[in-house]
C-alpha cells in the first residue's frame, strides 16, 4: 500500500515561499532571488531608505546592488503572520538583519510585509516592503517560524 502523503495547506506553501525568499537573501544569490519573484512589470519593492521600485528589472537591479555591496547577510525572522485570500497572500514579520561589509557589521530590526500571488501553482513574491523600527517592537518575544 502506498504511503499517504499529506498535502500542504496554502498557508504552509506561502510560509515555505517566504522562507525561500530569506534563504536567497542569506545566500546573496541573484539567481535564487529571481526564482522567488514574479517577473511582471507591475511588481513592487521598497527597501529601507529607497524609493519605490516598480517592475522586475528595477527590483532585480536593487537586489544585485545590495548583494554586490554586502559580504554577508544574516536575517532571522520572528512574529510571522500569514493570511491567504484566494490566489493572493501576505506575510508580515520582523526581520533582524545583520550585514557585513569591509569588516564592519550593521544590525537593524525591520518590519516587513511580503505579498505573494499564486501563479501556475507556485507562490511568487509580487511585493516586498520593509521599514526600520525605532525601539523595541511589540511582542518581540514571539516564536520564530
Amino acid at each position: 500500500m502506498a504511503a499517504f502523503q499529506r498535502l500542504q495547506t496554502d498557508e504552509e506553501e506561502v510560509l515555505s515561499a517566504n522562507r525561500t525568499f530569506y534563504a536567497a537573501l542569506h545566500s546573496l544569490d541573484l539567481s535564487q532571488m529571481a526564482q522567488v519573484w514574479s517577473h511582471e512589470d507591475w511588481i513592487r519593492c521598497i527597501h529601507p531608505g529607497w524609493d519605490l521600485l516598480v517592475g522586475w528589472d528595477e527590483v532585480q537591479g536593487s537586489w544585485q546592488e545590495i548583494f554586490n555591496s554586502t559580504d554577508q547577510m544574516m536575517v532571522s525572522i520572528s512574529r510571522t503572520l500569514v493570511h491567504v485570500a484566494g490566489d493572493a497572500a501576505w506575510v508580515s514579520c520582523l526581520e533582524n538583519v545583520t550585514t557585513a561589509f569591509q569588516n564592519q557589521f550593521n544590525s537593524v530590526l525591520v518590519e516587513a510585509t511580503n505579498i505573494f500571488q499564486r501563479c501556475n501553482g507556485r507562490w511568487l513574491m509580487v511585493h516586498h516592503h520593509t521599514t526600520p523600527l525605532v525601539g523595541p517592537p511589540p511582542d518581540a518575544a514571539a516564536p520564530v517560524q
Side-chain angles (χ1 to χ4, degrees):
M1 181 188 314
F4 174 76
Q5 182 178 2
R6 185 180 75 83
L7 297 176
Q8 283 190 316
T9 66
D10 287 342
E11 289 82 5
E12 290 170 330
E13 289 178 1
V14 170
L15 288 171
S16 177
N18 197 63
R19 284 189 298 273
T20 302
F21 167 73
Y22 287 105
L25 270 181
H26 178 75
S27 72
L28 302 176
D29 185 327
L30 190 60
S31 64
Q32 282 185 7
M33 186 61 74
Q35 293 175 26
V36 174
W37 280 85
S38 173
H39 294 194
E40 301 294 333
D41 61 1
W42 51 264
I43 66 168
R44 307 281 195 269
C45 184
I46 303 174
H47 301 294
W50 291 50
D51 289 332
L52 174 67
L53 303 166
V54 179
W56 173 241
D57 290 340
E58 285 189 15
V59 171
Q60 179 183 32
S62 74
W63 290 120
Q64 185 66 61
E65 187 175 330
I66 290 167
F67 292 171
N68 286 343
S69 66
T70 305
D71 293 331
Q72 185 177 12
M73 182 180 300
M74 296 188 58
V75 181
S76 61
I77 61 172
S78 61
R79 205 200 67 211
T80 305
L81 305 169
V82 61
H83 184 79
V84 177
D87 288 333
W90 51 95
V91 176
S92 63
C93 59
L94 295 175
E95 300 176 351
N96 188 344
V97 182
T98 301
T99 56
F101 179 71
Q102 297 180 350
N103 296 322
Q104 296 182 17
F105 292 89
N106 183 40
S107 291
V108 64
L109 189 61
V110 176
E111 179 74 38
T113 302
N114 300 320
I115 301 175
F116 296 87
Q117 180 182 42
R118 187 176 6 224
C119 303
N120 299 318
R122 287 186 58 221
W123 289 100
L124 297 174
M125 188 171 282
V126 296
H127 187 93
H128 172 68
H129 184 171
T130 54
T131 188
L133 294 176
V134 179
D139 197 23
V144 175
Q145 289 191 7

